[in-house]
Structure formats: C-alpha cells, structure tokens
Amino acid sequence: MVIIMLGAPGTGKGTVAGLLQERLGIKQVSTGDIFRKNIKEGTELGTLAEKYISKGNLVPDEVTIKIIEDRLNEPDLEKGVILDGFPRTVKQAEELDKILQLKGKKVDKVISLTTPDEEIIERIVNRRVCSNQDCKAVYNIVLNPPKKDGICDKCGAELIVRKDDTEETVRARLSNYFEQTAPLVDYYEKQGNLLTEVVSKSINKLGKDVAEEIVEILK
Ligand code: AMP
C-alpha cells in the first residue's frame, strides 16, 4: 500500500505518519528526515540541501525524485510505504506515478491535512523533535509535551528545535507550500484517492485522533 501525506508545514504530517507506521506496519519515509540526516553527516547531498532548506525553499525536483526512486527500490518498502513530505510539486507527483507504475504499484491513498493558518505558526514555534535519528518523535510543548522537559519519552534522547522552525523560515515554507504543493490536492482529487482531514485544536482534533480515524477508514 502506498500512502501519501500531504499538507502545509505544521499540520502534523510527521506525527500522523509516525502513528500510521505503528498501526499499519508499513514504513514512514520522510524526505525532510533524509535531508536532515545528510546535513548532520556532512554529505555532499546535505551541503546542497541545506542551501535550500535554511531559506525555507524546496530542494530541486531532480535531486529529490532521485532520492525517492532509490529509496523505493529498497526491500524494506516492498510491503508498502507512507511518504511523508513527498511529493511536493506536480513534477514530483508525475514522476512518482511513473516510478510506481513500473513496479506494478500505484498511489492508494493521499491524506491531505489542513490546519487554520493562525494555528500553524503557533504549532511550529512550539514544536520539539527528538534528536535521535532512529526515533524522530515529535512533540508540542503546549499540546503534547514530553513527560520530562526536553527529553524524549520514547528513547530518552534530547529534544531539539528544528533549525528551519523559525518564524521567518516558516513564512517562506508556507508561501512555497501554497504556490508549489497545494496544486497536488487537485492532482490527487482527480485521481480519486484524496482524503482530507482537519487537524485543529479548535475542533479538538489532534494528529493522534486523525490517525485513528484513518486506520478505521483503511480497514
Ligand atoms: P519537512 O521535514 O517535510 O518539513 O521538510 C523540511 C525541508 O526539506 C522542506 O522545507 C524542504 O526544504 C525540504 N524538502 C523536504 N521534502 C521535499 C520535497 N519533496 N521536495 C523538495 N524539498 C523538500
């Protein structure tokens, strides 16, 4: 099964994808995580990606598509994948369709998360992520705080603020989202596999509630 998580930064894609990974037994693959790992390890890809990520811009399509194409060839994704943060442009979506077609697969479900704009900035500014690359748990210091300040409940590693979670970068990421990624809602609506979910404290619906709903729908 191929699931895509679509949504502006801060809507909870990573949180929902992480929960779906646990519940459905298929892996979450985040292009953002792959870039951050490469930046941390100082690879050539990391150096290139950082130039874009630090400004809140998208890494070029040809680079990102190649990464996903290679990753999808790995045996641990044979059973399925939850793509978190890919595709982010129509070009990426078209290329993904081609890559999957060659494997006799297709996109089965696209989960589009929406959150009121005013909540997005607040959520990102309050976001803390686990520094352990193998854990990557996500917290919100107001809505979903860790039991112990600054420490991950799951693995005990230190919680950090993502470098691109500054208000200025978030605004650039949001404007890039609406310009380059939002057209994918139409793209997948036409394919007939779009499921839209609102994540908002105003209706008492957080990532974990949405994940439960999706698990029920996919049953
Ligand atoms: P994320 O962790 O999904 O918020 O991604 C962090 C950053 O990585 C984004 O703001 C982009 O700069 C870059 N990035 C992640 N996924 C993609 C993608 N599919 N295409 C281009 N850039 C991406």
Side-chain angles (χ1 to χ4, degrees), residues 22-191:
E22 282 172 22
R23 296 293 307 269
L24 302 174
I26 53 175
K27 280 204 173 162
Q28 166 192 18
V29 169
S30 151
T31 34
D33 283 345
I34 296 173
F35 290 136
R36 279 184 288 278
K37 185 165 185 280
N38 277 276
I39 292 171
K40 204 170 171 190
E41 290 170 357
T43 67
E44 209 176 305
L45 169 66
T47 310
L48 176 102
E50 190 167 25
K51 285 190 205 145
Y52 297 92
I53 295 178
S54 61
K55 294 192 181 76
N57 293 328
L58 293 185
V59 177
D61 280 344
E62 58 275 19
V63 177
T64 315
I65 290 164
K66 180 78 177 64
I67 287 170
I68 282 295
E69 186 169 16
D70 291 348
R71 185 67 185 89
L72 287 175
N73 280 330
E74 289 177 36
D76 61 326
L77 302 185
E78 195 49 48
K79 223 177 109 192
V81 65
I82 304 160
L83 288 174
D84 162 14
F86 184 93
R88 262 176 155 105
T89 64
V90 171
K91 173 83 183 155
Q92 291 180 12
E94 288 169 348
E95 292 302 316
L96 176 64
D97 282 344
K98 288 184 203 161
I99 295 166
L100 292 174
Q101 203 177 3
L102 286 174
K103 294 177 176 298
K105 294 182 178 170
K106 62 174 177 50
V107 172
D108 295 291
K109 207 53 152 190
V110 179
I111 298 157
S112 169
L113 302 181
T114 67
T115 297
D117 283 0
E118 64 277 11
E119 266 183 61
I120 285 186
I121 304 263
E122 190 189 338
R123 289 172 69 125
I124 292 187
V125 170
N126 291 329
R127 172 156 69 186
R128 298 292 179 274
V129 293
C130 180
S131 56
N132 172 1
Q133 295 280 335
D134 296 324
C135 173
K136 299 178 298 195
V138 185
Y139 298 84
N140 179 301
I141 52 172
V142 180
L143 300 174
N144 172 33
K147 291 193 182 85
K148 201 169 162 202
D149 233 16
I151 301 292
C152 178
D153 292 348
K154 286 191 183 157
C155 74
E158 187 194 359
L159 298 181
I160 53 170
V161 177
R162 264 172 56 168
K163 262 194 189 156
D164 59 344
D165 275 353
T166 62
E167 195 162 335
E168 193 192 345
T169 316
V170 172
R171 289 196 191 282
R173 282 158 65 199
L174 275 174
S175 102
N176 285 329
Y177 172 81
F178 288 110
E179 233 170 72
Q180 299 179 74
T181 310
L184 289 181
V185 172
D186 250 17
Y187 182 91
Y188 287 118
E189 190 143 49
K190 284 190 187 122
Q191 288 193 357

